[in-house]
Amino acid sequence: MNTDPRSVAGKRLEIAERTQILIVGAGPAGIAAARHAHQGGAQVMLVDEHPVPFETMGESVPQIWGGRMGGSVRNRNAMTERMLEARPDLAELFEAGVDIRLGTACWGLFANQPNLGWIPGLVAGLADEEQGSHLVGFDQAIVATGRRDMGLAFPGWDMPGVLGAGAALVLARLYNALDSRRAVMLGSTPEALLAVLELVSAGVAIAAVVEQAAAPAAPEDLVARIRAAGVEIVTGEAPRGVTSDADGVTGLVLRNRTIACDSVLLGVGAVPMIDLLHAAGARCAFDNDRGGFVPLLGAGGETSLPGIRAAGDCAGIWPAKSSDPALAVAEGRLAAGAALAALGLATAPADVAPQPGPAADLGEYRKAWVRASVVEAVAEMPVCQCEEVTAREILDVSPPRYLNAPHLPNLTRSLTEILGEGPPDPDQIKRLTRAGMGPCQGRRCREQIQALLALQEDLSLGVVPLAGYRSPVRPISLAAAAMPEDPAIAAAWDSWFGMPRQWIPFWDVEEHYTVAALATEKEHVSE
């Protein structure tokens, strides 16, 4: 039987380099994993996307930067130096022989699966400013990509000065480039209040912590530390808008007062950054005690994809772990020990990964914030900033505005009726409204859409499935995406662009494609 020349069967990928253990993320878990794996005799490559290119930061990737990046972030060399000053362990690892790649984004992980049987083992896609995009083969991977912030819409949240609490910490701690002097924190989770204390120590005045609930959501001892630092805690309030000038936010408007500030920090939810794992096909599930959707892990932090492990905040977030980096370090060491054992360089370590205790209902807390800030907003505003889709348009499943379709609100049908049986599906909402399809890849609106759908159908948050992630999970330029390819793939270029001949039996396809040669009378078959 002849082989279809347009099939990927028999084609080869250009693998630029290989390593035994690939570690993605140079936080506490990633650094600990790199040190332990190197000491165990493995070849280790440690990649971290920081310093993030300024152009990428402008799209609120990977954090919600909110236009409060100081001008120094444009200087890549200065940012790299500041990062090494903030994380001196990186220099130590480099001197010890670890292959460290800073300013390098991992935009995809690929493993052999039913629809990827032709992949030559485990492969990662990396991109940096020097080499562009290239593929790296590896035997074991440890993903330690950390966390990001949940977005929260309110009138004016698209103004410069509204940024994530985690983004503010990165700018202050890692880059020393936070362009903010006085901020208000939205949310009183343990992670939000710990961020308040760190920002205060970095010289940022925190005017207030605003909480929609009647009482703070953090333990009383942490609340006491906030009050001892002189920070006001305002409960029973949600943002109603902002005041602003040419430079962005100048104040946060509440029901009966306006708090002067130049930044509003989104601290209503710290989200495990699982995009790389989910796009690779690792099984994930909602876990209230671990901060939301997290990968399902087996012994040694291994995901459902053999050879790919998770550690640190991307494997789960809870208060004790947020306040004590030693727990993330322990996860990194455990994952590295298991990776060494898989390579035959060590015996399998005892599986003693830190486990969280029972937590408050995270889903109800996030839904309450979305209800108070978005549903009860005094004016309509985009929930998806990239595509300018409002909450009403999401819940009405309105078509994108650029189609100029007549507005037909689905007020007589529930989302279940509109989208079919079963829980509402954020991916269907994305396809029908474009909410979540913009340059930030849903990082500002993903959790809000999930909460809106749960509120609409009166469901618990975890019942609404996770919207899909797709590679590349980081924006890369077309120039960087132009990787070397097998000449046999280039020879059948037209079949990759949806041209009609891709449905014609390959034995009937003309050698050279021309529009005039399209045979409309032939029977078309699906590949």
Side-chain angles (χ1 to χ4, degrees):
M1 177 181 292
N2 294 331
T3 301
D4 186 345
R6 292 164 294 176
S7 167
V8 294
K11 308 299 191 298
R12 58 184 174 83
L13 286 178
E14 293 286 345
I15 306 299
E17 50 191 332
R18 291 196 58 85
T19 188
Q20 286 183 300
I21 300 180
L22 172 69
I23 300 173
V24 184
I31 289 174
R35 177 180 289 110
H36 191 66
H38 177 71
Q39 291 173 346
Q43 179 190 17
V44 179
M45 180 187 293
L46 173 62
V47 304
D48 193 290
E49 62 188 324
H50 294 287
V52 178
F54 179 75
E55 295 78 10
T56 303
M57 297 175 77
E59 301 289 357
S60 285
V61 178
Q63 302 280 6
I64 306 174
W65 304 105
R68 283 296 179 255
M69 306 91 74
S72 60
V73 299
R74 295 176 181 269
N75 187 328
R76 300 272 290 170
N77 291 334
M79 291 301 98
T80 300
E81 290 176 4
R82 289 176 181 175
M83 183 176 176
L84 292 174
E85 290 172 0
R87 297 177 180 173
D89 288 347
L90 288 174
E92 174 193 330
L93 289 174
F94 178 78
E95 292 296 331
V98 175
D99 184 0
I100 296 178
R101 313 281 182 93
L102 300 182
T104 301
C106 182
W107 53 261
L109 291 176
F110 306 95
N112 290 126
Q113 298 177 68
N115 63 337
L116 282 175
W118 66 292
I119 295 289
L122 297 170
V123 176
L126 305 182
D128 60 41
E129 290 190 337
E130 293 184 2
Q131 298 185 65
S133 186
H134 57 286
L135 299 178
V136 174
F138 59 89
D139 299 313
Q140 295 278 309
I142 300 170
V143 178
T145 44
R147 65 173 70 178
R148 61 176 177 81
D149 302 298
M150 172 180 165
L152 183 72
F154 53 87
W157 85 297
D158 51 353
M159 295 290 298
V162 180
L163 68 158
L169 281 179
V170 170
L171 289 172
R173 289 189 315 190
L174 200 60
Y175 292 173
N176 190 25
L178 177 60
D179 189 12
S180 176
R181 294 177 178 271
R182 180 179 172 87
V184 173
M185 177 70 74
L186 297 183
S188 63
T189 64
E191 290 74 26
L193 298 193
L194 288 168
V196 166
L197 294 174
E198 287 204 54
L199 289 169
V200 168
S201 68
V204 180
I206 303 297
V209 172
V210 174
E211 172 55 58
Q212 53 80 28
E220 186 53 44
D221 61 334
L222 186 52
V223 173
R225 291 174 62 191
I226 295 296
R227 291 192 168 120
V231 177
E232 178 186 9
I233 299 179
V234 181
T235 57
E237 283 278 17
R240 292 293 177 261
V242 299
T243 58
S244 62
D245 60 16
D247 295 322
V249 170
T250 60
L252 178 68
V253 179
L254 302 179
R255 189 179 298 109
N256 298 311
R257 61 185 286 201
T258 297
I259 303 176
C261 61
D262 58 29
S263 298
V264 179
L265 310 180
L266 306 177
V268 301
V271 181
M273 203 179 296
I274 64 168
D275 41 3
L276 195 59
L277 293 167
H278 191 261
R283 293 180 58 199
C284 299
F286 187 87
D287 189 332
N288 182 78
D289 299 338
R290 290 179 176 268
F293 283 101
V294 292
L296 299 178
L297 302 180
E302 191 168 44
T303 69
S304 60
L305 299 175
I308 298 180
R309 307 173 190 278
D313 284 347
C314 74
I317 300 170
W318 61 90
K321 189 174 177 182
S322 296
S323 60
D324 185 2
L327 298 185
V329 168
E331 289 183 345
R333 287 179 56 84
L334 174 66
L340 289 170
L343 295 173
L345 298 175
T347 56
D351 198 3
V352 290
Q355 298 296 322
D361 195 326
L362 172 151
E364 288 304 310
Y365 181 77
R366 291 182 182 175
K367 285 165 58 179
W369 260 110
V370 170
R371 179 186 290 109
S373 181
V374 180
V375 177
E376 299 174 1
V378 297
E380 281 207 326
M381 67 282 166
V383 169
C384 172
Q385 289 189 30
C386 297
E387 298 293 327
E388 299 181 344
V389 186
T390 67
R392 182 180 300 278
E393 289 168 332
I394 290 169
L395 297 178
D396 281 352
V397 199
S398 299
R401 297 177 194 174
Y402 65 82
L403 294 177
N404 295 319
H407 182 63
L408 298 173
N410 294 288
L411 299 180
T412 61
R413 295 190 297 158
S414 69
L415 279 174
T416 301
E417 293 172 315
I418 295 168
L419 302 177
E421 293 302 318
D425 188 338
D427 276 332
Q428 289 178 308
I429 292 291
K430 180 193 299 185
R431 296 182 184 106
L432 293 169
T433 69
R434 288 196 61 86
M437 293 187 73
C440 88
Q441 299 170 298
R443 288 173 178 82
R444 290 179 288 199
C445 64
R446 182 179 295 265
E447 286 73 35
Q448 295 186 79
I449 293 172
Q450 180 193 19
L452 283 169
L453 297 181
L455 288 168
Q456 174 83 354
E457 294 295 312
D458 193 22
L459 300 170
S460 63
L461 192 64
V463 172
V464 180
L466 175 66
Y469 288 98
R470 299 289 184 271
S471 295
V473 300
R474 292 291 183 271
I476 56 176
S477 67
L478 289 176
M483 295 184 295
E485 64 182 359
D486 192 317
I489 293 179
W493 63 270
D494 52 288
S495 66
W496 304 101
F497 286 86
M499 293 179 177
R501 81 174 218 172
Q502 71 174 317
W503 294 290
I504 300 173
F506 71 88
W507 53 84
D508 281 346
V509 174
E510 297 79 4
E511 182 178 356
H512 299 291
Y513 169 80
T514 64
V515 174
L518 288 179
T520 57
E521 74 281 358
K522 292 182 180 179
E523 182 180 358
H524 286 50
V525 296
S526 171
E527 291 186 343

